[in-house]
Amino acid sequence: MSTQTINISLPKELVQMVDSAAKSEFASRSDYIRQALVGKLRADRAQADDWDLLEALSEEIAQSAERENYKTDDDFVRAAKEVRAEVLDKSIRK
């Protein structure tokens, strides 16, 4: 992997915290910050995937509720549970 050097400004207290954490993991400051950034980027991507899934499920739930002519909150909750069960069943069969 090719690398590029960047310069960032951090509060002294944060640098001390990073240095302390890096030392406890037997890592350099750069390695520690790199690992933290990679972890943050992965978490952000996972969260975006979760939102995409939620949006897709919401659409399915709305369609199911409309098909079944659901009108009350209880009807909507039932539709949500039915769609969730269908999606889980499909994922288990894969």
Side-chain angles (χ1 to χ4, degrees), residues 61 64-66 68-83:
I61 291 166
S64 176
E66 187 174 333
E68 301 295 328
N69 199 26
Y70 291 164
K71 304 248 186 263
T72 67
D73 288 346
D74 287 340
D75 291 338
F76 182 79
V77 169
R78 187 169 51 255
K81 288 180 179 179
E82 289 169 1
V83 168

Side-chain angles (χ1 to χ4, degrees), residues 12 37 76:
K12 288 181 182 182
L37 287 172
F76 182 79

Side-chain angles (χ1 to χ4, degrees), residues 8-21 29:
I8 59 172
S9 298
L10 300 172
K12 288 181 182 182
E13 297 80 18
L14 182 55
V15 172
Q16 290 171 346
M17 292 170 61
V18 167
D19 287 345
S20 176
R29 181 189 288 167

Side-chain angles (χ1 to χ4, degrees), residues 7-66:
N7 294 312
I8 59 172
S9 298
L10 300 172
K12 288 181 182 182
E13 297 80 18
L14 182 55
V15 172
Q16 290 171 346
M17 292 170 61
V18 167
D19 287 345
S20 176
K23 183 178 180 182
S24 71
E25 294 187 15
F26 304 101
S28 69
R29 181 189 288 167
S30 291
D31 286 339
Y32 186 84
I33 292 171
R34 186 179 307 106
Q35 290 172 7
L37 287 172
V38 168
K40 173 68 170 132
L41 291 169
R42 285 182 182 154
D44 287 352
R45 182 66 220 151
Q47 185 177 27
D49 290 346
D50 289 348
W51 280 111
D52 291 345
L53 177 60
L54 179 61
E55 186 176 344
L57 286 174
S58 295
E59 182 62 30
E60 286 187 48
I61 291 166
Q63 290 171 0
S64 176
E66 187 174 333

